[in-house]
Amino acid sequence: WRSAFDAQLPARKRAGFAAQAVLRGVHDVKVVAVWLAATDVTLAKSYLAEIQRSKPAAKSGKPRVQLARNLASKLDSELQGLHAALVTLEVEDLASFRAAFDAVPEAGEVVVAVAGYALSQDIDNEAKIYVYLQSEASGHLKAYLASHETRRLWHEAGVSSIKGSLIVREGELSLCQ
């Protein structure tokens, strides 16, 4: 998959992608997550639609694409090689969810291990929210997500469902140059 991904760099640049990161699954190293920073949503959609139409490099099926706008983040660029949780949520009210999300770090010791976060909203479905959490250990992320207090606050804030989560190890971050 990597050689095919690298060969697509000129196409990603033409589509307005400015940066990229490759992350690997913690529990299954065959799982690959790619983050791309786009400067033009229309070009990004066109590029990603073409990727989904093309034959996947892996035997596991077509890639799953999530295009989102950044809402908030607190990430330290000095921290490298962290674990991360990628969480997809459906929310009834974004403002209520953000207030609850911001309150969770004060809710208990389990969240002390969360080193950084990013919160994004799906481009095509405003009720779909993506939460990116960083930590030095995958167990800390699992504990945070499984925490009764986290789930209680999210439920009270209108999270209608947790659509999925994936624990990954951060890899290289680079500019699309």
Side-chain angles (χ1 to χ4, degrees):
W1 77 268
R2 187 58 198 236
S3 60
F5 176 76
D6 289 342
Q8 288 295 315
L9 179 59
R12 286 194 298 280
K13 289 179 2 183
R14 286 191 303 275
F17 291 102
Q20 61 191 27
V22 176
L23 308 100
R24 299 303 295 251
V26 168
H27 303 292
D28 182 355
V29 294
K30 294 179 183 176
V31 171
V32 177
V34 176
W35 169 84
L36 299 166
T39 58
D40 185 308
V41 172
T42 303
L43 286 174
K45 280 185 173 186
S46 177
Y47 172 82
L48 295 170
E50 180 60 33
I51 293 297
Q52 285 190 303
R53 280 191 296 273
S54 67
K55 184 176 179 181
K59 294 180 182 179
S60 61
K62 292 192 179 288
R64 183 172 32 154
V65 175
Q66 300 166 324
L67 192 57
R69 69 178 57 82
N70 189 41
L71 298 174
S73 67
K74 181 184 173 190
L75 302 171
D76 185 344
S77 61
E78 298 296 316
L79 299 175
Q80 301 290 316
L82 296 175
H83 289 88
L86 310 170
V87 186
T88 304
L89 306 171
E90 292 278 339
V91 299
E92 296 168 7
D93 177 56
L94 179 60
S96 295
F97 172 74
R98 283 193 65 177
F101 182 80
D102 291 342
V104 172
E106 299 168 12
E109 291 184 22
V110 70
V111 297
V112 171
V114 174
Y117 70 88
L119 189 61
S120 303
Q121 183 178 41
D122 193 89
I123 294 291
D124 296 319
N125 178 355
E126 292 185 355
K128 190 179 284 187
I129 303 299
Y130 306 110
V131 179
Y132 181 86
L133 302 168
Q134 293 177 313
S135 181
E136 291 186 15
S138 62
H140 296 275
L141 296 166
K142 288 179 195 174
Y144 175 86
L145 294 174
S147 162
H148 173 72
E149 189 67 9
T150 299
R151 291 191 178 254
R152 182 186 65 76
L153 286 170
W154 286 5
H155 177 74
E156 289 175 1
V159 172
S160 55
S161 67
I162 299 174
K163 294 294 188 182
S165 64
L166 175 66
I167 306 293
V168 295
R169 181 77 181 215
E170 295 179 337
E172 81 237 27
L173 174 64
S174 60
L175 297 176
C176 295
Q177 298 181 356

